[in-house]
Amino acid sequence: MPESFGEALRRLRGNRSVRDVARLAACGKTYVSDLENDKRKPTQAIAAALDQALDAGGQLLALADIRPGSSPLDQADALQQGLHQTLAAGPMTDASLDEWEYTVARHGRATRYRAEGELLPELLADFTDLRLVLTHRHSAPARQRLTIAVAQMSGLMALTLLKLGDGRSRAWWRTGRAAAAAADDRSALSWMYAQEAYQLYYGGDLEGAVELAARAQHLAGGLPCVGPALAAPLEGRALALLGQRDNSVEALGRAEAALRRLPEADRTASAFGYSESQLAFHSGNALTHLGEIERAADQQERALELYPLRDHTDRALIALDQAIGAAIRGDVAGAAALATTTIVDLPDEHRSALIIYRAREVAARVPEARTVPEVRVLREVLALPPGERDSSAHRAGNAGRR
């Protein structure tokens, strides 16, 4: 069994007196004696002071959280946490920074295929570690790289909460923007505004979405970065819902140009990238809202060809756009059946609040057709009571008719 904090302290003290050790660590003699006899649990500050005073090389810090009589597994957890904190307090090497940037990028890729409920606990665990690292002193270049990582992780937190339908996502956008600004990184700040524009779009604030999308493109200042490639098509989609056809088409043209300027490394399946498949999806969505159903269908088919099968969220959203197109063409039964199939065929963990919200948009397109069997089934799947129109979908439907 591993030795306790008190046993290790007594061993490391050796021939030195308790009084001498207490003086070196700036604490009381009785306190040190109680620690040696495992009568008290040390604070992290005292453990660090004693570790330094006895030149223990982190041994005491690693044992500080282990409680006497705890199980081996609890001791292992405490030991791991202590070691992790000790390592986090050390100098930040290039390898350490590379590891953090890899971790952030890995989470960005995971957003394309992992369910939000699965991703959130891992995001939280890594973000907690990153916050611990950030509390220590670092060189200016190292702190800048860490702060950019904080901005990106904040954006991932916001995106994950958005898809879960949790309003706390808004606070994470503010944190992300503050971190990107503190790092003085216009590309990161542009990306943050572009992603936040999607929050406003799905929340029904179309004018606000257009404003943030424009801000994202302005901040980039012509840089070939992901922010404008994300923001321009979102602007086009919002303008289409607002009935501004010419401005919407112009924004879609800017989206194509932004994608062409992107380096190949950024045309990737990640929250930090933008790809041809996404542009086809977003263009199809805008064209659907403009009523150009045939052109929209071409874009949607192209998007489905390009998206991998594991990208459950965007493939479902494309199918729901196709259902809206069917409703606009007057195929009420087909629209409802496609929306129902899309929801039912999704794995439970991928039926996020965002997907249900968009499916309710389809239901809002056919509110007067509740006698059609397919519409009744869709409403049952979405748990919409008879005679009730979902308020969020109602707003979306009204926006599309403006």
Side-chain angles (χ1 to χ4, degrees):
M1 179 179 293
E3 64 182 340
S4 68
F5 181 91
E7 291 169 340
L9 176 57
R10 195 158 51 245
R11 171 176 56 81
L12 290 163
R13 179 168 63 83
N15 295 325
R16 281 170 286 200
S17 70
V18 172
R19 186 186 301 276
D20 287 342
V21 172
R23 186 175 64 254
L24 288 171
C27 63
K29 173 185 172 183
T30 302
Y31 188 20
V32 173
S33 181
D34 286 346
L35 290 175
E36 285 195 356
N37 291 299
D38 289 320
K39 292 181 179 180
R40 300 180 69 171
K41 183 176 182 296
T43 65
Q44 280 292 317
I46 289 294
L50 288 168
D51 196 279
Q52 183 175 7
L54 298 174
D55 195 23
Q59 294 179 63
L60 293 177
L61 270 174
L63 293 169
D65 289 328
I66 297 179
R67 295 181 180 276
S70 59
S71 71
L73 288 178
D74 288 340
Q75 291 181 28
D77 286 343
L79 180 61
Q80 182 272 324
Q81 292 168 12
L83 288 169
H84 192 79
Q85 291 174 0
T86 301
L87 291 169
M92 184 58 57
T93 65
D94 285 342
S96 300
L97 291 166
D98 289 345
E99 277 297 299
W100 274 114
E101 289 167 353
Y102 170 76
T103 296
V104 174
R106 179 169 56 84
H107 283 307
R109 291 189 293 272
T111 61
R112 306 306 304 171
Y113 62 89
R114 293 195 65 187
E116 292 74 31
E118 295 176 355
L119 185 59
L120 183 58
E122 295 185 16
L123 270 176
L124 285 170
D126 282 331
F127 214 157
T128 300
D129 289 348
L130 180 56
R131 182 177 182 272
L132 177 63
V133 170
L134 203 65
T135 61
H136 300 292
R137 292 182 179 274
H138 303 289
S139 67
R143 177 160 288 274
Q144 182 186 38
R145 290 173 67 179
L146 287 171
T147 305
I148 292 171
V150 168
Q152 293 173 322
M153 288 287 276
S154 297
L156 292 179
M157 285 290 297
L159 283 172
T160 302
L161 292 169
L162 167 61
K163 291 177 182 178
L164 289 171
D166 193 310
R168 283 170 287 195
S169 54
R170 294 179 180 272
W172 281 105
W173 294 124
R174 292 196 297 273
T175 300
R177 281 190 275 109
D184 196 22
D185 190 301
R186 295 177 73 88
S187 294
L189 193 55
S190 171
W191 177 83
M192 195 66 59
Y193 270 106
Q195 292 286 17
E196 187 177 1
Y198 282 77
Q199 169 108 37
L200 300 188
Y201 175 82
Y202 286 118
D205 182 1
L206 301 178
E207 290 85 354
V210 169
E211 180 176 345
L212 292 193
R215 173 72 171 163
Q217 294 168 83
H218 170 74
L219 283 167
L223 291 172
C225 58
V226 174
L230 272 170
L234 188 278
E235 182 183 359
R237 295 166 70 187
L239 289 169
L241 279 170
L242 289 168
Q244 299 182 29
R245 184 188 185 283
D246 291 345
N247 290 336
S248 174
V249 171
E250 191 270 335
L252 293 178
R254 278 188 275 113
E256 292 178 3
L259 178 60
R260 285 195 300 269
R261 289 197 301 271
L262 270 188
E264 193 64 33
D266 289 332
R267 301 186 189 190
T268 183
S270 166
F272 303 117
Y274 196 75
S275 64
E276 184 182 349
S277 58
Q278 289 173 283
L279 180 58
F281 159 34
H282 295 152
S283 297
N285 176 267
L287 292 168
T288 296
H289 292 309
L290 290 173
E292 299 186 21
I293 306 305
E294 295 305 318
R295 289 183 61 200
D298 290 341
Q299 291 293 325
Q300 289 154 359
E301 288 298 327
R302 175 63 175 155
L304 290 173
E305 289 174 3
L306 293 171
Y307 269 108
L309 294 177
R310 66 178 184 168
D311 197 325
H312 296 284
T313 297
D314 279 7
R315 291 183 69 88
L317 292 173
I318 294 165
L320 293 172
D321 280 345
Q322 291 175 317
I324 290 176
I328 292 173
R329 289 196 305 269
D331 183 5
V332 171
L338 178 54
T340 300
T341 300
T342 299
I343 298 299
V344 171
D345 287 351
L346 267 179
D348 289 347
E349 64 271 18
H350 287 281
R351 281 183 211 155
S352 65
L354 175 58
I355 296 294
I356 299 303
Y357 165 84
R358 293 296 304 280
R360 289 183 173 184
E361 284 190 55
V362 180
R365 295 274 180 172
V366 290
E368 291 80 21
R370 296 192 187 95
T371 57
V372 177
E374 291 84 355
V375 174
R376 288 204 307 271
V377 172
L378 174 60
R379 294 182 66 81
E380 290 170 4
V381 168
L382 296 174
L384 292 175
E388 179 180 321
R389 179 185 291 178
D390 180 72
S391 59
S392 62
H394 179 52
R395 288 196 302 272
N398 284 340
R401 289 189 288 273
R402 277 194 279 177

